[in-house]
Amino acid sequence: LAAFDGCPLKATATNLVFSDGNPDAGLMLVGEGPGAEEDRAGLPFVGPSGQFLDRMLASIGLDRTKYLITNLIPWRPPGNRNPTDNEVLVCLPFLLRHIALVRPRRLVLLGALATRGVTGTNTGITRMRGRWLDAAIPGLERPVPALPMLHPAYLLRTPGAKRDAWADLVLLRRTLDADVKKS
Ligand code: URA
């Protein structure tokens, strides 16, 4: 990915933002793309929405360093604009390959863009969130269970949506606990 010159965002970004955390964790969280602080640090989710994500995970007793965190787009779109369809199209194969190499047991998809990219579904995030669905990942023989959730940046702007986010976090925690019991 660092050697890839096919995405114009690379030219304006300071750093490649690839991933953070533990690739052996079994749980991989996928966000949208770096903001200003992520671009400076070269790490995903270290700015305000990252700090909020940390608090969301902490609220169900999870520590972000134990999981793998990445993004759909690995370079910051200038001025935090949304990535274009073309930028998503060009970067998506790298994310899908990343998932196939990591082979997570479960995925959490943060926000509409990550959900659309990984599931290939155009249904809005408010209708997709709140339940596990099967994400077919090229190169993996079995679909990966994926939980779409509202993006932390959206939750910071829309406090009324935190109730839905809490329901999703509880579902995530219960599912992880049930996985541990089964194994
Ligand atoms: N928002 C994202 O989706 N990803 C980041 O890494 C930071 C903010």
Side-chain angles (χ1 to χ4, degrees):
L1 187 52
F4 177 68
D5 288 321
C7 179
L9 292 174
K10 183 179 184 180
T12 49
T14 310
N15 280 304
L16 168 71
V17 177
F18 181 58
S19 74
D20 190 29
N22 176 9
D24 299 321
L27 179 67
M28 187 170 181
L29 295 101
V30 181
E32 183 175 313
E37 293 186 47
E38 288 79 16
D39 180 51
R40 239 174 276 132
L43 289 169
F45 281 107
V46 292
S49 46
Q51 284 157 23
F52 190 62
L53 175 64
D54 293 353
R55 283 173 45 206
M56 288 166 64
L57 294 173
S59 74
I60 51 164
L62 303 184
D63 168 357
R64 76 173 264 165
T65 64
K66 299 215 161 66
Y67 305 100
L68 189 64
I69 304 184
T70 189
N71 280 311
L72 172 64
I73 303 288
W75 293 283
R76 181 192 184 209
N80 290 355
R81 66 162 170 75
N82 282 334
T84 63
D85 288 350
N86 184 53
E87 287 156 0
V88 171
L89 210 68
V90 160
C91 294
L92 183 59
F94 290 95
L95 172 65
L96 295 176
R97 183 81 182 123
H98 191 178
I99 298 171
L101 290 170
V102 168
R103 306 179 76 86
R105 277 194 304 278
R106 295 187 178 273
L107 288 164
V108 168
L109 307 174
L110 297 165
L113 272 191
T115 300
R116 197 191 314 152
V118 171
T119 66
T121 313
N122 261 329
T123 310
I125 182 70
T126 48
R127 292 185 55 199
M128 301 271 290
R129 57 149 285 275
R131 64 198 159 82
W132 291 95
L133 47 87
D134 281 337
I137 306 295
L140 293 183
E141 47 295 327
R142 270 192 238 120
V144 183
L147 181 63
M149 290 189 33
L150 299 171
H151 193 285
Y154 172 78
L155 293 170
L156 285 173
R157 291 193 306 269
T158 322
K162 285 182 186 169
R163 176 203 290 256
D164 286 342
W166 174 243
D168 298 348
L169 286 165
V170 170
L171 173 62
L172 173 62
R173 179 71 216 213
R174 289 207 178 119
T175 308
L176 295 180
D177 287 347
D179 286 351
V180 171
K181 270 200 202 129
K182 265 187 253 157
S183 65

